[in-house]
Amino acid sequence: MAKYKIAWLPGDGIGVDVLDAVKIVLDAIELDAEYIPGEIGWECWEKYGDALPPHTVDLLKSTDCCMFGAITSKPNVKGYRSPIVRLRQMFNLYINMRPIKAFEGNPLNYNNNIDMVIFRENTEDLYMGIEFEKVPDEWRKTPGMERVPESAGISLRVITPEGSERIIRAAFEYARKHGRKRVTVVHKANVIRVTDGIFLEAAARVKEDYPEIEMEDVNVDALTMWLIKKPEWYDVVVTTNMFGDIISDEASQLVGGLGFAASGNIGDKYGVFEPSHGSAPKYAGQYKVNPIAAILASKIMLDWLGETEKAERIQKAVATVMKEGKAFTYDLGGTAGTLDVARAVAGHISAPV
Ligand code: NAI
Ligand code: MG
């Protein structure tokens, strides 16, 4: 029997292309795993009226972790909720970890010294999906609500001390374990005083347990400017769900864009690992897009499984491919296909040490 059971969910569009690439790399590194395919996404919605059908949930429950590609979500479809957002909540995957690292040789890097890890809270905030098309009548009695027009819709920003503390602690733990020296806490507490007040107070509590690590806090708008101006300053960054979504896409552009942005959705018992990008429908099935984001997501998965030596070998092989500058996809100005890049990475996987 294989050591690991891994749920394999390519999903829609280029999710399929990039997960085929990941498979080539995991085979090259000889991970002792059984990969069990499952379905998720827009096609499931059309087939079953559910983008995350129960048999897929069962599959996840019977495996150690999951590799996920991407899904297509369309706005303004009644009853539809993004299955990846549902998965994060259902399995309590409260950490969304997104490393942003400049690989030498990448022509799109802003500079070669960028190496930060963003920790995005993954279960709360506007993503709870608690929305009202009109203000509930009972709320009308609350002071201040008279300023809200009849025509308004409401989306709730829900932030708890517990949810804040656990993501901030994950960021500090990571910093300690990896010898990082600074944690930057991102918020907008001057405007959203209650919810980001909770987040900042949680940060102050957690910091007490990590005297050796510096902490700073910054408003999210200022951060988006500083990320362009001085990206190499940032080390470990922690924030709430929506801010994390936005700043991590911005940060990815500093090191080559979505083709390099990997993420791990991590809870205490389960993990779902994915490239941060979506299904990019216009490139679906063409095997043209950059698989490095997905390959780096499998690296995060290996770290999480405790296969750190294999994880390091994948990271090094990607670094070598970037340095060589031959197997580049279109986003890097090259002509290599998705699977060419995977084969190049596989070809540079070193012998076990
Ligand atoms: P997207 O990430 O799919 O693509 C935006 C653009 O980024 C692409 O057109 C392409 O130019 C570039 N790009 C993305 N991945 C790339 C790669 N691996 N290599 C090279 N270039 C790449 O975002 P978009 O267009 O906003 O959304 C498309 C669909 O994906 C939507 O239905 C959206 O809801 C969904 N989506 C799903 C996510 C997920 O599965 N976690 C995350 C983000 C969007
Ligand atoms: Mg996003």
Side-chain angles (χ1 to χ4, degrees):
M1 221 180 68
K3 188 168 173 196
Y4 303 111
K5 279 171 89 173
I6 299 177
W8 197 259
L9 305 185
D12 302 313
I14 61 164
V16 177
D17 306 34
V18 297
L19 252 54
D20 281 352
V22 171
K23 191 65 187 1
I24 290 173
V25 174
L26 291 178
D27 284 346
I29 206 136
E30 297 178 326
L31 182 68
D32 184 8
E34 182 190 351
Y35 304 96
I36 309 168
E39 46 180 9
I40 187 168
W42 193 253
E43 279 181 28
C44 288
W45 170 254
E46 292 190 322
K47 218 154 83 184
Y48 312 111
D50 189 351
L52 177 60
H55 54 269
T56 300
V57 175
D58 290 343
L59 167 65
L60 299 199
K61 285 182 180 159
S62 72
T63 50
D64 296 301
C65 61
C66 168
M67 260 316 289
F68 167 70
I71 45 89
T72 299
S73 327
K74 302 187 182 173
N76 295 323
V77 176
K78 260 217 157 18
Y80 184 89
R81 270 190 78 210
S82 161
I84 182 68
V85 174
R86 281 168 62 199
L87 267 187
R88 290 166 180 164
Q89 291 168 3
M90 192 181 289
F91 287 84
N92 209 6
L93 309 175
Y94 58 90
I95 301 168
N96 193 326
M97 180 198 168
R98 301 187 158 189
I100 303 287
K101 182 182 163 49
F103 285 99
E104 208 185 315
N106 187 338
L108 302 176
N109 287 342
Y110 274 43
N111 72 52
N112 285 339
N113 303 320
I114 301 168
D115 183 10
M116 73 184 94
V117 183
I118 298 176
F119 283 80
R120 163 188 175 191
E121 201 289 322
N122 215 22
T123 55
E124 305 192 328
D125 197 347
L126 291 160
Y127 284 78
M128 284 195 71
I130 302 181
E131 303 193 286
F132 301 89
E133 283 171 21
K134 68 183 278 287
V135 180
D137 288 337
E138 324 69 277
W139 292 19
R140 284 279 168 211
K141 300 180 195 117
T142 310
M145 288 304 289
E146 67 282 355
R147 290 195 291 127
V148 180
E150 275 297 326
S151 55
I154 305 248
S155 301
L156 276 193
R157 184 172 203 257
V158 178
I159 305 282
T160 65
E162 300 76 23
S164 303
E165 214 170 303
R166 64 186 184 175
I167 186 66
I168 295 164
R169 193 169 293 284
F172 273 96
E173 272 303 308
Y174 179 92
R176 175 172 280 172
K177 194 166 162 210
H178 296 272
R180 302 269 184 162
K181 63 180 199 302
R182 183 184 314 109
V183 172
T184 302
V185 181
V186 183
H187 62 89
K188 186 75 181 176
N190 56 339
V191 177
I192 23 182
R193 308 182 78 89
V194 171
T195 45
D196 271 348
I198 289 172
F199 198 71
L200 274 183
E201 277 170 22
R205 280 196 303 279
V206 173
K207 160 75 179 116
E208 284 181 19
D209 298 335
Y210 301 85
E212 80 281 17
I213 295 162
E214 237 178 79
M215 181 172 88
E216 62 175 10
D217 73 271
V218 59
N219 279 310
V220 64
D221 47 346
L223 181 85
T224 58
M225 180 273 293
W226 282 110
L227 274 180
I228 306 289
K229 193 166 164 165
K230 207 179 176 189
E232 64 284 356
W233 172 261
Y234 295 99
D235 197 354
V236 174
V237 175
V238 63
T239 189
T240 46
N241 203 342
M242 180 63 87
F243 293 163
D245 183 41
I246 298 167
I247 66 172
S248 60
D249 270 20
E250 182 194 10
S252 79
Q253 193 56 46
L254 302 168
V255 298
L258 290 175
F260 291 89
S263 77
N265 302 278
I266 299 169
D268 291 331
K269 299 201 186 91
Y270 201 74
V272 175
F273 302 88
E274 57 162 332
S276 304
H277 60 72
S279 61
K282 73 176 173 194
Y283 295 110
Q286 296 180 28
Y287 290 87
K288 270 179 78 169
V289 295
N290 191 343
I292 289 179
I295 292 169
L296 292 175
S298 74
K299 185 259 177 198
I300 304 175
M301 176 178 80
L302 292 176
D303 274 328
W304 184 77
L305 286 170
E307 298 283 347
T308 45
E309 186 257 357
K310 284 186 166 58
E312 260 340 283
R313 282 159 63 209
I314 290 182
Q315 177 92 5
K316 282 207 177 111
V318 169
T320 306
V321 167
M322 291 309 299
K323 216 170 181 170
E324 273 187 353
K326 286 189 276 192
F328 277 2
T329 42
Y330 80 92
D331 49 322
L332 297 169
T335 54
T338 306
L339 302 183
D340 299 328
V341 177
R343 286 186 208 108
V345 173
H348 284 296
I349 297 231
S350 57
V353 283

